[in-house]
Amino acid sequence: MKNVLLLIFLLLGFSPLSQAQTSDETEIQNLIQNSFDELFSNLDAEKLGDFYTDDFLLLEQGEIWDNAIILGYFERASKNPNRPIRTNRFEFIQTKVEGNRGWVGYWNFATLTRDGQVIQEIKWLESATAVKTDKGWRLDMLHSTRVDKE
């Protein structure tokens, strides 16, 4: 009987439906990681459309940023000849997918270094929504709250 229950559990756990859900959740989490690495670490403005919808909004610490404001930030930041290196790390709290919509909550950690020395560590509590498009998952909203040092 134990073997039959184990077999049923394994079959249900590896069903195509559960794999699709897990795959979408993983894709959304990768979207978060890769968007911060490519956009906010590398300031690669050409990749904005790879991660964000045209109507994307970032609600950042009481400010509303759209794609135009984000591109302006990239332009200003890229002119800094002594710009620090940003390394991103995430701890995902929960990721949900329902059809072509997804939601994710996570802790965002950024370490800023210059000449091999840590100059600042920043922590945010964030949530984001994503939509599945014909080009894959794209973020359409991100809400970010900076966490003060304890």
Side-chain angles (χ1 to χ4, degrees):
M1 183 66 178
K2 284 183 184 178
N3 289 340
V4 172
L5 290 175
L6 180 61
L7 181 61
I8 291 171
F9 175 76
L10 289 173
L11 289 173
L12 290 176
F14 293 107
S15 72
L17 182 58
S18 67
Q19 286 180 347
Q21 182 75 10
T22 301
S23 174
D24 284 335
E25 290 173 359
T26 300
E27 285 183 42
I28 291 171
Q29 291 175 0
N30 288 339
L31 184 66
I32 296 293
Q33 179 74 57
N34 296 336
S35 68
F36 276 89
D37 289 347
E38 294 297 331
L39 300 176
F40 289 98
S41 291
N42 297 340
L43 303 176
D44 191 344
E46 292 181 13
K47 291 195 177 176
L48 197 72
D50 293 347
F51 302 105
Y52 296 164
T53 60
D54 291 339
D55 61 348
F56 173 81
L57 284 180
L58 166 60
L59 308 175
E60 172 75 27
Q61 208 63 20
E63 296 180 6
I64 300 171
W65 292 29
D66 60 12
N67 287 338
I69 293 170
I70 293 168
L71 289 172
Y73 166 79
F74 292 166
E75 185 177 333
R76 289 186 307 279
S78 64
K79 291 179 181 177
N80 179 355
N82 198 24
R83 182 170 57 96
I85 295 170
R86 175 180 170 151
T87 304
N88 307 294
R89 181 175 64 83
F90 298 92
E91 291 179 10
F92 293 98
I93 300 164
Q94 188 170 23
T95 306
K96 290 187 178 186
V97 175
E98 291 184 16
N100 290 332
R101 299 283 308 157
W103 173 92
V104 60
Y106 55 93
W107 294 101
N108 178 350
F109 302 89
T111 302
L112 304 180
T113 58
R114 185 178 293 123
D115 300 324
Q117 299 293 322
V118 173
I119 58 173
Q120 187 175 15
E121 292 180 331
I122 311 168
K123 178 181 177 181
W124 296 267
L125 178 60
E126 298 182 343
S127 62
T129 59
V131 61
K132 195 170 198 175
T133 71
D134 58 347
K135 296 178 182 176
W137 287 99
R138 298 293 185 268
L139 297 171
D140 59 354
M141 193 277 303
L142 192 152
H143 183 244
S144 179
T145 302
R146 186 180 279 201
V147 177
D148 292 329
K149 291 184 179 182
E150 299 169 1

